[in-house]
Amino acid sequence: MRVSRIQAEENRQTVINVASRLFREHGFDGIGLKDLMEAAGLTQGAFYKQFTSKEDLAAQSSTRALESAYCRWSAAATANPEDPLGQVIGFYLSAGHREEKTDGCPIVALGSDAARHGVAVKASFETGIRTHLDILERLISETQGEEFKSKAMAILSLMVGALTLSRVVNDPSLAQAFLDTAAAQVRNIVAA
């Protein structure tokens, strides 16, 4: 049965959304097309009508995941206009965010996978990373002024690293220590 263009686009968006979450949970190579399409409620055959390759889907779903992360950062900053950077730090470097495997930070979940992929996937990540840096630069510049670009890079690196490390250890105390220490150091960087 043939589907309308509207339905085909809705199906395509569903696959991108599902892949965005499942790739963060399993990695790009940790889930096959059959399981991915099944999770989207479609057949594997429908995949090739929507995407040129799994790499194409990886790039598009990475863009979607990074846009979602950007929206979460913006929402966190808006939630506390008195201390928007503190709100972002508090959200990002939290135990709750550490446990979010499907909706958590795509840079942490897929960064090392993306490094092994092609130009399109890396371009999605580069755009998303630049957007995150822009947010941090804006938040820091509102309180600092000069040197905010290098501070934004240091802060993003520290936050991504701390969240990554907190996810790869079994000891919950050590995991929380990575988050707490990073949060304190980020505040020190901003205050300096």
Side-chain angles (χ1 to χ4, degrees):
M1 183 166 133
R2 194 172 173 113
V3 297
S4 69
R5 285 186 182 160
I6 293 170
Q7 184 61 53
E9 182 57 26
E10 288 175 8
N11 291 347
R12 185 176 177 284
Q13 294 304 317
T14 297
V15 173
I16 292 170
N17 289 334
V18 168
S20 168
R21 300 183 80 220
L22 292 178
F23 282 152
R24 279 183 273 179
E25 183 177 4
H26 300 285
F28 292 126
D29 297 327
I31 186 163
L33 290 179
K34 180 181 179 227
D35 292 332
L36 201 149
M37 293 302 286
E38 188 175 291
L42 299 167
T43 65
Q44 187 174 350
F47 176 83
Y48 294 102
K49 294 176 184 172
Q50 306 286 341
F51 306 96
T52 59
S53 64
K54 189 174 179 184
E55 181 84 1
D56 178 29
L57 176 60
Q60 291 187 47
S61 66
S62 294
T63 297
R64 179 71 43 87
L66 287 154
E67 288 169 350
S68 172
Y70 166 78
C71 289
R72 292 179 78 185
W73 277 39
S74 295
T78 303
N80 186 351
E82 298 299 314
D83 185 17
L85 181 59
Q87 190 73 16
V88 170
I89 293 165
F91 148 71
Y92 191 89
L93 295 173
S94 68
H97 187 220
R98 179 186 67 234
E99 297 303 318
E100 289 181 18
K101 303 296 191 256
T102 59
D103 289 323
C105 179
I107 301 167
V108 172
L110 295 169
S112 61
D113 278 3
R116 291 185 291 272
H117 274 261
V119 174
V121 172
K122 288 180 182 178
S124 294
F125 273 83
E126 183 174 332
T127 299
I129 289 166
R130 288 181 187 277
T131 300
H132 281 77
L133 287 171
D134 289 345
I135 294 170
L136 288 171
E137 288 172 11
R138 182 178 47 81
L139 294 175
I140 294 167
S141 71
E142 290 173 2
T143 60
Q144 296 277 311
E146 298 298 317
E147 297 184 25
F148 57 88
K149 287 186 180 193
S150 63
K151 284 184 179 185
M153 286 185 156
I155 289 169
L156 183 61
S157 300
L158 184 58
M159 288 173 49
V160 168
L163 189 62
T164 300
L165 291 170
S166 75
R167 285 183 175 181
V168 300
V169 299
N170 288 319
D171 180 354
S173 298
L174 179 60
Q176 191 60 49
F178 278 122
L179 299 176
D180 294 343
T181 301
Q185 292 304 313
V186 166
R187 288 184 184 92
N188 288 340
I189 290 169
V190 172

